[in-house]
């Protein structure tokens, strides 16, 4: 339910922002976004329109990612200057120690949220405005070394700039999705009577955008899986290879004890087996592959 609310709220905010951006560009700079003129497509205008739409959504989602995570997931930020419990202090100290080792100049915010799922994630628009959050389920299910390995993995994501990299890639993919969907819709609308072309074009844009978004997600997810291997290696460098491997093994054991449908992680994506075509839509690699590659590295 929280993921649905997050999706709806994010898209409402993105659409509102895009409306403001288009209004400013049209009224202040006099940019015309009507890419169809006299029965032909103005490709330059369409490309500008597509880039604005594609990158606005991606960049806006990145900009509010830390705030959204804290708001929707109910993350309680642990203030290092406040009176923390011994366990909370240990989490903060571990993240800060790993962050300094990773060369981060500003320490990430550290937070905990109540959930039985074994989960941890890193988010934020920049390295200096990042957040590392862990679930109470993870802290209760994994031992201290495994928790440190998981935290090192998340800090490595921040140090590698993965949030920004994935956002830029998503922006490029979004641009091509919007661009190609409207070209395909324009072509499809040419096969009907002129009085129906507007309706057909509108419906076809939606249909092709969904189709191309699914195809584009294959590229994004493949690159995401590639970055996970890098984060594993980064986590091994920060916390030690043995702790990182131990963390992955602990996650694998956890998967074997519970229903994987309920154990799927938002970030670590506990996944013990490749499951046909659905694997290509997964943002995280198979755990066995992650352990094997880390051992070979």
């Amino acid at each position: 339910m929280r993921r649905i609310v997050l999706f709806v709220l994010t898209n409402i905010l993105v659409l509102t922002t895009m409306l403001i951006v288009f209004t400013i560009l049209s009224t202040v700079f006099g940019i015309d976004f009507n890419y169809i003129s006299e029965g032909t497509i103005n490709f330059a205008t369409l490309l500008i329109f597509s880039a604005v739409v594609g990158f606005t959504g991606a960049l806006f989602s990145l900009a509010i990612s830390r705030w959204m995570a804290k708001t929707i997931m109910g993350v309680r930020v642990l203030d290092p200057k406040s009176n923390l419990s011994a366990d909370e202090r240990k989490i903060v100290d571990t993240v800060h120690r790993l962050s300094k080792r990773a060369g981060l100049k500003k320490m990430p915010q550290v937070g905990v949220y109540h959930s039985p799922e074994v989960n941890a994630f890193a988010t934020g628009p920049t390295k200096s405005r990042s957040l590392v959050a862990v679930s109470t389920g993870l802290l209760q299910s994994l031992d201290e070394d495994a928790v440190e390995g998981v935290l090192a993995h998340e800090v490595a994501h921040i140090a590698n700039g993965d949030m920004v990299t994935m956002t830029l890639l998503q922006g490029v993919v979004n641009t091509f999705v919007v661009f190609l969907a409207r070209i395909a819709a324009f072509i499809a609308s040419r096969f009907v009577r002129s009085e129906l072309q507007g309706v057909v074009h509108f419906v076809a844009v939606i249909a092709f955008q969904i189709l191309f978004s699914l195809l584009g997600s294959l590229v994004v997810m493949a690159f995401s899986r590639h970055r996970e291997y890098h984060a594993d290696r980064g986590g091994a460098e920060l916390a030690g290879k043995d702790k990182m491997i131990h963390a992955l093994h602990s996650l694998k054991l956890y998967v074997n004890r519970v229903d994987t449908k309920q154990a799927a992680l938002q970030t670590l994506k506990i996944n013990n087996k490749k499951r046909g075509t659905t694997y290509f839509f997964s943002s995280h690699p198979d755990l066995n592959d992650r352990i094997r590659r880390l051992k070979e590295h």
Side-chain angles (χ1 to χ4, degrees):
M1 184 63 185
R2 284 182 299 182
R3 277 182 283 175
I4 296 175
V5 173
L6 176 62
F7 175 81
V8 173
L9 289 178
T10 301
N11 278 275
I12 290 175
L13 291 172
V14 167
L15 289 174
T16 303
T17 303
M18 288 170 57
L19 178 61
I20 295 173
V21 170
F22 284 135
T23 301
I24 293 174
L25 291 176
S26 298
T27 58
V28 177
F29 298 100
I31 299 177
D32 184 9
F33 288 101
N34 184 15
Y35 55 86
I36 298 179
S37 178
E38 298 181 356
T40 60
I41 294 180
N42 185 322
F43 290 100
T45 301
L46 176 57
L47 184 58
I48 294 173
F49 171 83
S50 301
V52 171
V53 173
F55 279 94
T56 297
L59 293 174
F60 186 72
S61 296
L62 176 67
I64 66 173
S65 59
R66 188 171 69 164
W67 173 80
M68 281 299 249
K70 289 188 285 189
T71 303
I72 302 301
M73 301 296 291
V75 175
R76 177 172 61 89
V77 176
L78 304 178
D79 185 358
K81 298 179 180 179
S82 64
N83 186 24
L84 301 175
S85 68
D87 290 338
E88 292 172 342
R89 176 66 60 185
K90 184 178 293 185
I91 297 170
V92 173
D93 290 345
T94 300
V95 172
H96 286 186
R97 172 169 52 82
L98 294 169
S99 299
K100 290 176 182 177
R101 191 173 296 172
L104 297 179
K105 296 181 179 179
K106 187 172 182 179
M107 296 299 98
Q109 289 184 341
V110 183
V112 175
Y113 67 97
H114 289 284
S115 173
E117 65 182 7
V118 176
N119 192 6
F121 64 87
T123 190
T126 65
K127 293 182 182 181
S128 60
R129 297 183 62 243
S130 58
L131 167 71
V132 174
V134 296
S135 69
T136 53
L138 182 140
L139 298 176
Q140 294 166 1
S141 301
L142 303 186
D143 62 35
E144 187 174 323
D145 285 347
V147 170
E148 183 173 350
V150 170
L151 293 176
H153 175 95
E154 300 306 332
V155 170
H157 272 307
I158 298 172
N160 293 339
D162 285 337
M163 288 86 76
V164 174
T165 301
M166 290 301 300
T167 298
L168 294 176
L169 175 62
Q170 187 66 64
V172 172
V173 170
N174 289 348
T175 298
F176 278 101
V177 166
V178 174
F179 185 77
L180 295 176
R182 278 153 182 78
I183 291 177
F186 175 81
I187 294 174
S189 67
R190 299 300 98 179
F191 290 95
V192 299
R193 298 192 304 270
S194 57
E195 60 268 23
L196 297 176
Q197 288 180 354
V199 175
V200 171
H201 183 272
F202 176 79
V203 174
V205 163
I206 296 175
F208 281 118
Q209 194 154 305
I210 292 173
L211 174 61
F212 292 146
S213 293
L214 289 174
L215 295 177
S217 68
L218 295 176
V219 177
V220 175
M221 292 301 100
F223 188 76
S224 176
R225 292 193 297 272
H226 173 71
R227 297 309 301 171
E228 288 303 312
Y229 292 124
H230 279 272
D232 285 342
R233 291 198 293 270
E237 292 174 0
L238 296 175
K241 189 172 182 178
D242 290 341
K243 288 183 180 180
M244 191 65 239
I245 292 176
H246 174 62
L248 295 176
H249 272 299
S250 298
L251 295 174
K252 180 180 175 181
L253 291 174
Y254 172 77
V255 173
N256 290 337
R257 293 198 305 266
V258 297
D259 182 357
T260 54
K261 291 183 179 179
Q262 297 183 9
L265 302 186
Q266 290 297 322
T267 299
L268 291 174
K269 287 293 181 187
I270 287 181
N271 183 11
N272 200 27
K273 295 181 179 179
K274 294 182 179 180
R275 299 177 181 274
T277 57
T278 59
Y279 177 76
F280 295 103
F281 290 94
S282 173
S283 61
H284 288 63
D286 173 71
L287 272 173
N288 291 317
D289 285 348
R290 293 172 65 179
I291 294 170
R292 177 182 56 79
R293 289 202 182 195
L294 194 54
K295 286 181 176 180
E296 293 174 353
H297 179 67

